[in-house]
Amino acid sequence: MDNRNYGSGFIRTILQQFFLIAAVLCLYTADYLHSYSMQKTYIFLAIAIINLIMTFVMMGFLAKSVSSFHGLSKVGADIMFVVLTAVVYFTLDLVFPLDQNYMLADRLIIVGVVAYLLDSLFLIVFSSITTRMRTNTLIQSCVLYKLVMLIQKNLFEHTMFTRALRGLISWMAGIAGVIVFLKSNQVWGLVLLALSIFIELYYSLRKAYEEKVIRKAILQITQGDLNSTLDAQSFHGEQKQTAEAVNHIRDGLDNAVQKGIKNERMKADLITNVSHDLKTPLTSIINYVNILKEKIPETEDTWQYLMILDEKSQRLKTLLEDLLEVSRLTSGTVKYEMNQIDFLELIYEIGGEYDERFEKRGLIIVTKLPRLSMMIKADGRQLCRAIENLYTNAAKYAKMDTHVNVELRRDGDLAVFSIRNVMAQPIQFTVEGASDLTERFVRGDRSRTTEGSGLGLSITKEIVTQMGGTFEVFVEEDVYNATISFKIS
């Protein structure tokens, strides 16, 4: 409080005490004159009323500027109020009524001094209470409130000891209530019994509710929802500790997930940057190979070397393109144009493009397609690439002179496309099972003598799942089966 506010508060305090003492003295004078049948009593009553009004007005202004006295902040508001009431009661009981031998002037001096002392004590309590009201700590500063909170914290928390103690007290209170009612026929015995039952029921239901909330949060975390946070302060006892532990687990998982996402993004950026750096010199190599094909005489050895350079550079180009595509898909930068497309028509178009490749290896396509159109919502260009990867795998890894079964069927509200063939070389899986084929750089040809990057199925899975579909790969002995499912629109 600055000097100006302090001075203003001091003046208001003096004026408040002046008006209060004047009001008390005028009231006492009016009573004295009335007792002795003297005139002009109404004048002192009017002055007393005016001074009382001014007293309350000054108290209103005083409430804005007073501050708590040093040391009183540690005393409970209810204790101060009780002490003030007791002092006022006993002081007035001792002083009034005054002995009839006292003259009016003597009585006014005694009344004025008592009024001043009581008002000073009142102002001390008043300043402390108004300060606490401004800071919203009036209730919290009461000793009774602190006592209730202490009992609440130590007796009604959900720890093993407090539960046993609370149960014992409740049972004893209930039994005492029954005994009182049966022996003395007192209604408050039943009230005591009902109160003990209510307390136990309330805290049992609260514990059950808190455990339910914790179980729900744990279930959400197990399902991958790391945004659910428990307000640990709203729980009690052991449930509060459990809620805090659940929050710590969630934070740990969330940090691990964020770290994993960051690492995955860094890997994707690394792949993108390296691929771009390799693509430029590779393009130059391909261009110069094409120039050499036209310039160098067609000798058998030279032409064979050029063909090898051309084949390997084209394979490296495909690998870089696949790396870039995987990087784009995993980083979430691919934008899908979702439209209504005819799944059946798309399969017809793709299948016709692969007839020549299948014929070179003696593969026969056996199709089982519906007669009517089957509409789905997807990005036609991206879905075409995903299905082309499946056809390419069949053309590379299917056993020569066998059948490749292509099917499109309706399964409930799903359009399910599948391609099935016998593999030339059975795959020896690790403990992860058939899902290995959808991981990056995993190939059906473990010797890695055929062309391919091992990214085809990974790209297919990313494309299909990001468009809302489902991609699965099943391998039984030497039979390979891949399916793509979309909801029919």
Side-chain angles (χ1 to χ4, degrees), residues 302-368:
T302 304
W303 189 254
Q304 181 180 1
Y305 298 154
L306 286 174
M307 290 298 100
I308 293 174
L309 286 173
D310 187 30
E311 177 186 352
K312 300 303 181 183
S313 59
Q314 292 296 336
R315 180 175 174 182
L316 183 57
K317 179 182 178 183
T318 301
L319 174 59
L320 290 177
E321 290 175 349
D322 288 344
L323 282 172
L324 285 172
E325 185 66 19
V326 169
S327 176
R328 290 174 62 244
L329 289 170
T330 55
S331 62
T333 59
V334 177
K335 303 298 182 182
Y336 294 94
E337 298 179 3
M338 306 296 285
N339 298 305
Q340 296 288 339
I341 62 173
D342 188 347
F343 207 171
L344 177 62
E345 182 181 350
L346 184 66
I347 293 172
Y348 271 124
E349 293 177 359
I350 297 174
E353 298 175 0
Y354 279 81
D355 287 340
E356 184 178 351
R357 293 187 62 177
F358 285 151
E359 288 178 1
K360 288 182 179 180
R361 302 194 65 228
L363 300 174
I364 301 174
I365 299 181
V366 179
T367 59
K368 185 178 179 181

Side-chain angles (χ1 to χ4, degrees), residues 21 25 91 107-120:
I21 294 173
L25 294 178
T91 302
R107 295 187 180 193
L108 291 179
I109 293 174
I110 296 173
V111 171
V113 172
V114 171
Y116 172 78
L117 294 177
L118 292 181
D119 184 54
S120 299

Side-chain angles (χ1 to χ4, degrees), residues 2-17:
D2 56 23
N3 294 332
R4 181 181 300 177
N5 290 336
Y6 180 81
S8 175
F10 179 76
I11 294 174
R12 291 169 184 170
T13 303
I14 297 298
L15 290 175
Q16 188 272 340
Q17 287 196 320

